[in-house]
Amino acid sequence: MVERVQTPPASEHSQPSCRPCQELALAEAVANAEYDWSKATDCRVLMKRHRESGECVAGQSA
């Protein structure tokens, strides 16, 4: 039997503040809980693209 070890999410995902970030963080957590590593990776890639797109408000002061 092969045991898979989950890697903890990166610190940049710990407290997302915009809605798309929250949705992607939740989807990543669900994928990890379901041992769907491919989907979890997709969520992290989409989160990074979102944050780099300029649409993300997570690091901007209000």
Side-chain angles (χ1 to χ4, degrees):
M1 179 177 190
V2 175
E3 183 178 331
R4 294 187 183 240
V5 177
Q6 276 185 269
T7 56
S11 61
E12 67 180 300
H13 304 304
S14 61
Q15 294 182 6
S17 61
C18 74
R19 178 100 182 187
C21 285
Q22 291 172 347
E23 291 171 355
L24 287 167
L26 176 60
E28 180 187 358
V30 169
N32 281 326
E34 295 174 347
Y35 304 104
D36 188 345
W37 313 124
S38 178
K39 185 174 182 179
T41 299
D42 291 344
C43 291
R44 288 190 297 274
V45 169
L46 291 172
M47 175 91 69
K48 181 173 177 157
R49 287 182 185 170
H50 165 69
R51 289 191 169 169
E52 292 174 347
S53 73
E55 296 175 8
C56 182
V57 295
Q60 299 174 358
S61 56

